[in-house]
Amino acid sequence: AAKSTIAEEDIVLDACARLFHNCVIVGSSETRATERLQAIAHELENNEPMLTFYGRQRTTNRQWTQTKIVLRNGVVIQAIGRDQAVRGLKHLDWRPDYVLLDDIEDRETVQTREGRDKTIRWLFSELIPVVDPRARIRCLATPMDSDSVPVRLIRDAKPRWPSLVVPIKKLDSAGQWEPVWAERYPLRPTPGKISVDELEEQY
């Protein structure tokens, strides 16, 4: 459902409006997290309507790196990989107050109970304790196992995490299956596109 793209847009607008001070994007690896940060940096530098409204956010005295950018208004956005050391995430006086967990599991780690436990342990014993107590933490994921981290957050976390589950297909008024995102995942095989059935087989 284009969840990562929507999250990127949300971070861009919230950063410009200074609705957070220190955002941390977490991916299954640092490379995956920096891909999100690069897309955000691109919008901050090239989105003309945003630039017209908020002005230029990159200044010459602040170098942007692959893993950290600091905006003109002082907001910082950082990218780290799952299991990475979380020391140094504090920016000036600000602990992370917005955390985006974006598909933090991969096929290798989700295959075993040990791998899934390691990820959930890192999340609750290392990452969450260093963020601001009032931080927003959002988890975006396509569950790859019935016991994967996003499933466990919905099922086991106390207090329960609010959740929105977007199916890849639904029953129409006539009781027939129809794809939720037909342009991206058609119900039947289409050249160059993954069908709903193929997507279900993957996960």
Side-chain angles (χ1 to χ4, degrees), residues 91-128:
H91 175 67
L92 302 177
D93 291 331
W94 300 105
R95 289 178 177 270
D97 53 351
Y98 186 169
V99 178
L100 178 69
L101 308 171
D102 187 29
D103 281 322
I104 61 173
E105 293 177 296
D106 54 31
R107 292 190 181 278
E108 182 179 346
T109 58
V110 83
Q111 284 179 352
T112 65
R113 176 75 187 205
E114 181 183 10
R116 297 190 295 271
D117 286 349
K118 183 180 179 183
T119 300
I120 204 89
R121 215 167 28 242
W122 176 82
L123 177 60
F124 280 98
S125 65
E126 295 190 43
L127 180 62
I128 291 179

Side-chain angles (χ1 to χ4, degrees), residues 15-164:
C16 290
R18 216 164 183 258
L19 296 181
F20 60 76
H21 301 93
N22 184 352
C23 172
V24 175
I25 301 168
V26 185
S28 59
S29 65
E30 185 179 277
T31 299
R32 290 289 173 263
T34 57
E35 288 173 358
R36 298 276 77 78
L37 184 58
Q38 288 169 8
I40 289 167
H42 177 79
E43 290 300 315
L44 288 167
E45 290 191 280
N46 298 286
N47 187 307
E48 290 301 330
M50 186 276 298
L51 291 171
T52 300
F53 193 80
Y54 288 106
R56 209 152 287 280
Q57 294 301 314
R58 184 169 185 169
T59 59
T60 55
N61 63 333
R62 283 176 171 155
Q63 182 180 3
W64 288 12
T65 69
Q66 284 191 323
T67 59
K68 184 176 182 178
I69 63 175
V70 181
L71 279 61
R72 185 188 64 186
N73 62 12
V75 164
V76 63
I77 308 172
Q78 308 181 67
I80 65 171
R82 181 201 64 233
D83 297 333
Q84 194 170 323
V86 294
R87 293 178 183 176
L89 290 182
K90 186 177 178 183
H91 175 67
L92 302 177
D93 291 331
W94 300 105
R95 289 178 177 270
D97 53 351
Y98 186 169
V99 178
L100 178 69
L101 308 171
D102 187 29
D103 281 322
I104 61 173
E105 293 177 296
D106 54 31
R107 292 190 181 278
E108 182 179 346
T109 58
V110 83
Q111 284 179 352
T112 65
R113 176 75 187 205
E114 181 183 10
R116 297 190 295 271
D117 286 349
K118 183 180 179 183
T119 300
I120 204 89
R121 215 167 28 242
W122 176 82
L123 177 60
F124 280 98
S125 65
E126 295 190 43
L127 180 62
I128 291 179
V130 305
V131 307
D132 188 278
R134 296 163 296 179
R136 286 182 290 163
I137 304 176
R138 290 180 173 169
C139 178
L140 311 178
T142 301
M144 294 186 284
D145 186 272
S146 60
D147 197 43
S148 62
V149 167
V151 175
R152 291 167 78 170
L153 290 176
I154 296 171
R155 185 188 67 205
D156 302 333
K158 298 187 185 311
R160 292 189 65 183
W161 282 45
S163 61
L164 172 66

Side-chain angles (χ1 to χ4, degrees), residues 166-170 178-181 185 187 195-197 199-200:
V166 181
I168 57 173
K169 64 181 180 181
K170 64 179 181 178
E178 64 176 0
V180 173
W181 192 1
Y185 301 112
L187 199 59
S195 70
V196 166
D197 289 339
L199 192 65
E200 286 183 321

